[in-house]
Amino acid sequence: MARAGGMTNAVNVGIAVQADWENREFIANISLNIRRLFDFLLQFEATTKGKLAALNEKLDVLEHRLQVLEVQVSSVTTNPSVFN
Amino acid sequence: MPLVRLELRNEYGLGDPELYRGGFRKEEPKAILDGVAVSGLVGILRQLGDLAEFAADVFHDLHEQITATAVRGRQMMTRVQNIESTVPSIEKAFGKQTSYVHFAYVAGSDWHARIRDEQSIVLSTELPRFMMDSYEECRDPPRLFLLDKFDHAGTGACLKRYSDPPYFKRVWTASQMENSENFQKEKKVHKTKRKGSRPRHGEVKHAVYISHHDSSGIRFASPSIDGQRFSAVNVSSPDMRLNLEFLSRSTSFASKTRENYAEQTSYVNPQGVPDDLDYSEVPNPNLHSKDSHLSVPVLHDEPSADGLYNVAQHDLPQEQSVPRSSSVTWDEKLEIVKPTSPVSYNDILVDRVQDLENVISVQDSEPLQVNFKTENVEHAKIEALNQEDILCHIGKTSVPVSGVSHFDEVSSETDNYVDAPNTLDSESETEAGCHTKSEVQILSNFSSQGMEPRTEMRQVIAVQSSEPSDVEAHNSSHSSLSQDVTPRFLHLSSLNGSEHVQSPYATEFLQKQEQTVVDDFCERNAPNISETKFHAYECIDSVLSPISGTFSSPTMMLAETRCEGSILKPDPLADVSGVPSIKLWTNGGLFGVEPSKPPELGSVNTQNAPCMQNEPTSVDANSQGKVAGEPTNLDSSVQSNSTEDQFFARGYNTVQKFKGSPSCHDNQHVYNVKQDSNVSAEPFLQRKFEHNSEDTDVSNYASSDKLDMTRNSASSGAPLTDIYCTGSRQNGPSQSTVGISSSFSELAQRFLANTIHREASLSTPSGNINTEIRKPKGATSCLHDDIEVSNEVASQRTDEQSTNKKVAHVPAKEPVSFTSYYHEQSSPPLEYMKISSHPMNGLDNSKLKLDFSGGNLHENSEDATFPSFQLHHGPVDNLPVVLSESDDDTFHRSCPYSSEELLSPRSYTSSEQWEQEGRSEYVDHELNDVPYRFQSSTTSISRSMGFEQMNHSSISKPDGLEKFDAIIDSSKVPSQSVSAMELPGLDSVLSVKNQQERKFPSLRENPANVEVQSTNELPPPPPLPPMQWRTFKLSIKLDDNDPNISSNLNHLDELQPLRCPSQIKEQYLPGSPFVNEPISPHSDKIQDQLKLNWEKRSTRSVSHKEVDRREDLLDQIRNKSFNLRRAKISMPRDIPRPKTSITNANVAAILEKASAIRQAFVGSDKGGDDDNWTDA
């Protein structure tokens, strides 16, 4: 682009076309990298959300167990006559 | 349709699109390129912006989720800390406790986890943003509500007409409602079907009742020690149930038996369920609830130890009082239960009462009480039994007693029994699952038991009778215990459905038996009994299988005897003198001797694993083995009892598994069990009555035995009932057959029904195969007898079986035969066609053969539908003849044409015409092969005619101008005739040209006009002309452009030989243009013109001088005899040949053409193609 922009009107069309191709290549490379960034973001989101889901499942299990434990403890604490 | 999470647009698309629309064309190219580059960079920036936005969304979501999980984790941490804080105090308190026993009595907490309601999982608010965006971007519906005031439907009606989102919901609900209604209708239909099938069951029941009534009468007459025998029978039935695998493994009786049972049960399910829809419907909860409801109150009313007795007494009056109609109602309710329980239970009830009384009087009341307590606990099952008894009694009372002689019935039943094993064998062969076979075999065992007592089992009975005291003691104890155990087993089976649970009960039962025996009957052979029972106990503990119990200690048979069973069989046969007795024996061997079955089965398995047919032989062997092991008969009987109980439990489990409806099955099982007990008891009683001279205590024993039998039989009968139920339900016709062959034993009928059913269902090869299989196995006279009997029975089988077999075989065979027939017919035609075509083609070239092959293939395809393909041969035959001479090259030129023509009628007509022409053509064919190709290309007469006309025209006009004219005409009128369109090049061109000649004679008169037309209207003819014609066309063009005719003549000369045959043909063709001209007046003219043309031609050909084509044209047009000229011209084609020959040929050709013209004129009236010419 810079080269193409710097060219004067005297430059023939062939040089201009060559510069245009170079500019297009440059733009295409940038665009490709942007697409890769998108892909990375998507994969990152998928993996992180998957792991978070697994973590949430484990937390669910732990919560259920904790709930049972709490109930057991509460049953014991609320009914002290058991130990008497 | 995948949802688009994000659309990343093209970087150039994000720029200014005007750059690519030509808006800046006026700008300087360099500026445009710079603008495009800048727009690309702008697009990249926008992509980066999109990326940033997308990343923000992603990380925002992640942040939210992570925060949520973090919150949950923190909450959990707090909760855990709370628990940690409270637990130490609890631990201390718990540690202070000295005894922890009281914790077991603490009620605990009634807390239940609150499972979250999973409703509204998907909410509109939880939609991801990229999906919400689409909703946000969409427009609102048009403001149709403004028109509501004009709509009578009310507010929102207009908008609803435009868009009605709840429409789908309404449609869905409506469809669901329809489905539910259809389902209900189907249910009703099934119910009605069941009711329709019920009469069959009634018939079966009727027959069974009759037979049973007889047997029951005999049984009453003969007090028996049936307990032993019955127990043995029961044991045998489960043994028969065992699979071949199980039998093969019988050496190790332990856990394999259980596994086998489990397998059997598992196998049973798939078979029974698909076979009978009615049966699947049977487990209707309503029926079950009714039965259970009826049964329960009785038990509740009499929960005491005497409950059963009271129930029995209570049932008796009900049964007697109940009319037949009531029985029908019961049938309707129980449906399946009734057919399975054909036994008359009046006798059973009486026996029960007597047995109970005897037992109570003889034995100590304690064990019985205990047993009854257990029964009370598990009263439901017993109640079901009572109800079933009542039902059975009702059925019996309703059914008239048949005075058929017992032996006659036995004989008939024996046949049936023999059939049964055959069917079993066939089933075993066909079906991979052996459980059905085993079940059938069990049934057969029961039935055979009824048969056995008369024959050889007497020996066993006598041996057993030698120790009546032990038997009695055992029977008594066993009866009480069996009652206890059976309900337990039932209960356990119903609850757990597993055999493992039953094992402890069985052990307890054995122990109880031992105790009772020891306590009550120490006077008698207490040690022996105890030992025997101990053996049984061990067997049961170890194996829990009746087979193990029978074989382990008492009978001494074990696996060794199994192989010997076949050898032992002949002995009982030898003992039995009468042939019918042999039959009976065979039957009894098949069905009766239960303990022997397992070894036999094992041997059978060893011999033929897939075939269960050896069961009868094995049974016989077992019975013999019992006889041989006389001292251990009691043990065997005791063990058999115990094993019977176990089997009952197992059978019950299997039944539950099989049907999947425990409630209904329980009732059915109990009912069936009672029936079985009656049946089994009858033969035993008979045996004892006949053989036991020592039976002073027989009455008591019989009573006690009856109790045992009723209970044990209930246990043993469970599987049978299961099988029978399945069979009867599955096969209505089989039931009817069973009713026809009413015999003294119900089991026999059941077995028959099952067998028939099996046969009908399976439609396997009849007993012949089975017999064949047996013969190598059994290798004994008994087996042979059985086989014979089975064969006879197979022949005597009811029409239903035959029909079933027919149905099974006919469809199988018919299609095969049909296919084979077809194959035979079709295949020969192909070959035949080939052969026929080849000889026909023999004259022709390989090309013709190829052509024929195509035709043959086509004909073959047609033959597939019409076996009489020879009809096609006619045309085919004709074709080769024609093709051999004329159409050789047609295939060359255009294979599709030739192939199509061969099959099409067109080809036929063309071939005929070719034949007509052939006479004159033969000579020319030899000389002119090349032009023939062109002729052959014509598929129809019209084509040929056109082609000939073309040739004529070309020839008649010595100059190329005529051809040129023809071409011009063709170009003018490319589609005047179909033939012209179809034919590539010359035909169409020339034919059209001829037509044009007629149409526009003036043009012919004025060649200049023709030339002008040619120059102006020279578009090539639609079909691609061959190269030769192209060259010809070029020559014509040259003629047009260059008036020098000599070159044209040269071209013509070159082309003429090609056209010659066509000209000759045309003369003979009916569709020739002569039609337009009457022959008689023009015949002279024609000949003259022919001569003229020929002369001109000859002169031209010889001298190669220019001929005034215009004059010729004028002459032709004036005379309108161009056809004749063509005919004449055909001869000049031979000009290259010596003149003499040419002249001769010309003369001959002229003569032939004259005759051909006549023919052609005559035929022209017929030919449809002439219309074109006339029109032209």
Side-chain angles (χ1 to χ4, degrees), chain A residues 38 45 56 60 62 70 83, chain B residues 5-6 69 72 76 97:
Chain A
F38 272 103
E45 185 187 17
N56 284 324
D60 289 335
L62 290 173
E70 286 174 354
F83 299 102
Chain B
R5 176 74 184 277
L6 178 72
T69 52
R72 290 180 66 188
M76 287 183 66
Q97 296 295 323

Side-chain angles (χ1 to χ4, degrees), chain B residues 202 237 320 337 359 399 410 532 623 824 846 868 914 916 1121 1142:
Chain B
S237 65
Q320 292 174 354
V337 175
V359 171
V399 174
V410 170
T532 58
S623 64
E824 291 175 356
S846 63
S868 64
W914 286 77
Q916 290 178 354
S1121 63
I1142 292 167

Side-chain angles (χ1 to χ4, degrees), chain B residues 8 386 455 510 526 598 819 905 1002 1127:
Chain B
L8 182 63
N386 291 325
T455 60
L510 292 171
T819 54
S1002 63

Side-chain angles (χ1 to χ4, degrees), chain B residues 827-969:
Chain B
S827 63
L830 291 172
E831 295 177 353
Y832 175 40
M833 289 302 293
K834 289 177 181 177
I835 294 163
S836 64
S837 65
H838 285 295
M840 293 302 289
N841 293 330
L843 298 173
D844 298 338
N845 297 329
S846 63
K847 295 174 182 178
L848 282 173
K849 290 177 181 177
L850 290 170
D851 194 353
F852 253 109
S853 65
N856 289 327
L857 292 171
H858 187 71
E859 289 176 356
N860 291 327
S861 64
E862 290 179 356
D863 290 336
T865 55
F866 301 100
S868 64
F869 57 90
Q870 293 177 350
L871 292 172
H872 295 283
H873 282 289
V876 172
D877 293 338
N878 291 328
L879 288 171
V881 173
V882 173
L883 292 170
S884 63
E885 295 176 355
S886 63
D887 285 341
D888 284 339
D889 296 336
T890 54
F891 184 72
H892 263 297
R893 191 160 169 216
S894 62
C895 292
Y897 280 120
S898 63
S899 63
E900 291 178 357
E901 287 175 0
L902 291 172
L903 296 172
S904 64
R906 254 197 307 175
S907 63
Y908 218 33
T909 55
S910 64
S911 65
E912 290 176 356
Q913 292 177 355
W914 286 77
E915 287 178 352
Q916 290 178 354
E917 297 172 359
R919 288 175 289 178
S920 62
E921 290 176 356
Y922 287 120
V923 177
D924 294 337
H925 283 298
E926 295 175 357
L927 298 172
N928 299 325
D929 292 335
V930 176
Y932 220 70
R933 294 177 183 175
F934 297 100
Q935 289 181 351
S936 65
S937 66
T938 60
T939 56
S940 64
I941 298 164
S942 64
R943 290 179 186 176
S944 63
M945 288 180 69
F947 187 66
E948 290 173 358
Q949 288 177 355
M950 174 188 72
N951 291 326
H952 285 292
S953 65
S954 63
I955 295 160
S956 64
K957 295 176 182 178
D959 298 339
L961 181 61
E962 290 181 356
K963 292 178 180 176
F964 175 73
D965 294 337
I967 292 163
I968 292 162
D969 295 335

Side-chain angles (χ1 to χ4, degrees), chain B residues 303-320:
Chain B
S304 65
D306 295 335
L308 179 62
Y309 177 76
N310 291 327
V311 170
Q313 288 179 347
H314 181 69
D315 291 341
L316 286 170
Q318 288 180 350
E319 291 174 356
Q320 292 174 354

Side-chain angles (χ1 to χ4, degrees), chain B residues 1138-1158:
Chain B
K1139 284 184 178 179
T1140 56
S1141 65
I1142 292 167
T1143 53
N1144 294 328
N1146 288 328
V1147 171
I1150 289 163
L1151 295 173
E1152 290 176 355
K1153 285 174 183 174
S1155 63
I1157 287 162
R1158 293 172 186 171

Side-chain angles (χ1 to χ4, degrees), chain A residues 4 7 9 24 27 30-31 35 37-38 41-42 44-45 48 56 59-60 62-63 70 73 82-83, chain B residues 5-6 8 11-12 28 30 36-37 44 47 51 54-55 59 62 69 72 76 79 86 97 102-103:
Chain A
M7 294 175 70
N9 293 327
R24 285 174 182 272
I27 292 165
I30 294 171
S31 179
R35 290 174 190 276
L37 282 173
F38 272 103
L41 273 178
L42 287 170
F44 178 76
E45 185 187 17
T48 50
N56 284 324
L59 285 173
D60 289 335
L62 290 173
E63 282 178 350
E70 286 174 354
V73 170
V82 173
F83 299 102
Chain B
R5 176 74 184 277
L6 178 72
L8 182 63
E11 61 272 17
Y12 294 103
E28 192 177 353
K30 186 175 179 302
V36 169
I44 285 172
Q47 283 183 349
L51 176 65
F54 178 70
F59 286 109
L62 289 174
T69 52
R72 290 180 66 188
M76 287 183 66
R79 292 167 68 183
T86 55
Q97 296 295 323
H102 67 280
F103 287 114

